[in-house]
Amino acid sequence: MIARVERSVVIPAPVDTVWRALVEDGHLSSWFGEDAGVDPFPGGQLVVSEDGRRRRAVVVDIEPGRRLAFRWLPDTHRMGFVWGPDDVPAGTSGEVEVTLTELPVGT
C-alpha cells in the first residue's frame, strides 16, 4: 500500500523568490532546517545533513520555476539511479513533489 500525504501552504513571496529558495544552495536549508544542497536537473542530487546524518535524494523531474520532484534514496545507495541488487527497492524511501502556483497573496 502506498500512502500519500498532501499539504498546501501559502508563502507571502513571489513564485520566482520561492523557486530560488528551493534550488539555490544557501536557501534550500530554509526548507530542511540544516545544511542542504541540490543539483537542479533530472538525475541531480539533493543532499541534506541533519543531526550528523546525511540523507540523499535524486531529482526525478523538474519544471524550472514551477515544479521539483525528488526521491529519497535508501541508505544503502550512495548516489543517483544506480540500482544494483538490494533489499530496499528504488522509491520505497519516499518521493516528494513541490509544485508552485502563483496566488494574489504570493505563492
Side-chain angles (χ1 to χ4, degrees):
M1 172 185 236
I2 296 176
R4 183 180 174 116
V5 176
E6 291 187 36
R7 182 173 179 202
S8 296
V9 296
V10 176
I11 300 170
V15 169
D16 62 327
T17 299
V18 177
W19 179 255
R20 285 193 313 272
L22 277 173
V23 299
E24 291 181 2
D25 289 347
H27 299 288
L28 186 62
S29 297
S30 64
W31 296 94
F32 290 102
E34 295 208 22
D35 188 34
V38 65
D39 300 319
F41 53 83
Q45 296 292 303
L46 184 144
V47 180
V48 177
S49 297
E50 56 186 355
D51 299 327
R53 185 180 129 198
R54 181 170 278 188
R55 293 188 69 200
R56 295 182 186 274
V58 65
V59 175
V60 294
D61 197 18
I62 190 168
E63 294 174 44
R66 181 181 175 326
R67 183 174 165 272
L68 174 68
F70 60 89
R71 180 176 299 132
W72 291 111
L73 297 173
D75 290 336
T76 55
H77 289 295
R78 297 190 62 89
M79 62 183 5
F81 280 114
V82 180
W83 306 116
D86 200 331
D87 58 348
V88 182
T92 58
S93 294
E95 187 165 315
V96 176
E97 180 178 322
V98 178
T99 303
L100 305 180
T101 305
E102 186 173 350
L103 302 170
V105 295
T107 302

